[in-house]
């Protein structure tokens, strides 16, 4: 009898040695964004106040965006954290258009693939982190 195909019970809880690498779930990504948001010393000097997002160094696709007043964009992000200021989110669904205010110190996790647009409605810049599961 060949027992080599039976999983080793001592490996329970370990990553599979046969997988390509650790899988990043949307929950893990949201946790990483929350941790980054709490450490402005890691990203503050990278902020560009010209409306161009900056990719943060690291393995994950995480972007830092500075939003001038009135700036609109439709980022394809799975997780969003507003770091400073406020953004307004418009989502288009089968039921119509929904709008909500996104304020600092909140993590927003997206799903469903509905088109959305973000705009800075305020008189000052807003900062946000955007992350995408790869």
């Amino acid at each position: 009898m060949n027992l080599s195909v039976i999983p080793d019970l001592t490996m329970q809880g370990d990553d599979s040695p046969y997988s390509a690498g650790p899988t990043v779930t949307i929950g893990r990504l949201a946790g990483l964004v929350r941790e980054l948001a709490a450490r402005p010393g890691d990203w503050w000097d990278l902020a560009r106040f010209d409306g161009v997002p900056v990719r943060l160094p690291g393995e994950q696709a995480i972007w830092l965006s500075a939003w001038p007043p009135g700036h609109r964009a439709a980022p394809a992000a799975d997780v969003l954290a507003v770091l400073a200021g406020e953004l307004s989110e418009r989502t288009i669904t089968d039921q119509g258009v929904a709008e909500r205010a996104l304020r600092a110190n909140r993590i927003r996790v997206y799903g469903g693939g509905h088109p959305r647009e973000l705009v800075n409605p305020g008189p000052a810049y807003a900062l946000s982190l955007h992350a995408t599961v790869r």
Side-chain angles (χ1 to χ4, degrees):
M1 178 188 305
N2 182 0
L3 299 178
S4 66
V5 295
I6 299 173
D8 185 352
L9 295 178
T10 62
M11 293 179 62
Q12 287 184 345
D14 293 339
D15 290 334
S16 169
Y18 308 107
S19 68
T23 303
V24 176
T25 64
I26 199 153
R28 287 182 182 171
L29 192 61
L32 180 59
V33 168
R34 184 185 70 236
E35 290 172 14
L36 276 170
R39 295 190 321 259
D42 291 355
W43 47 261
W44 180 253
D45 60 328
L46 300 174
R48 292 180 51 176
F49 292 90
D50 58 2
V52 177
V54 176
R55 184 160 193 255
L56 297 183
E59 294 181 25
Q60 303 309 318
I62 301 177
W63 299 84
L64 174 65
S65 295
W67 298 74
H71 183 73
R72 293 178 185 274
D78 296 314
V79 178
L80 165 76
V82 177
L83 305 170
E86 181 178 311
L87 295 175
S88 177
E89 172 190 61
R90 291 188 191 128
T91 306
I92 302 167
T93 66
D94 295 338
Q95 291 79 29
V97 177
E99 190 165 339
R100 74 169 27 185
L102 302 176
R103 294 185 177 88
N105 302 319
R106 306 265 186 208
I107 304 290
R108 178 86 164 103
V109 176
Y110 294 103
H114 297 294
R116 66 184 151 276
E117 175 187 65
L118 297 175
V119 63
N120 178 1
Y125 276 83
L127 278 175
S128 65
L129 285 175
H130 304 264
T132 303
V133 174
R134 294 192 274 166

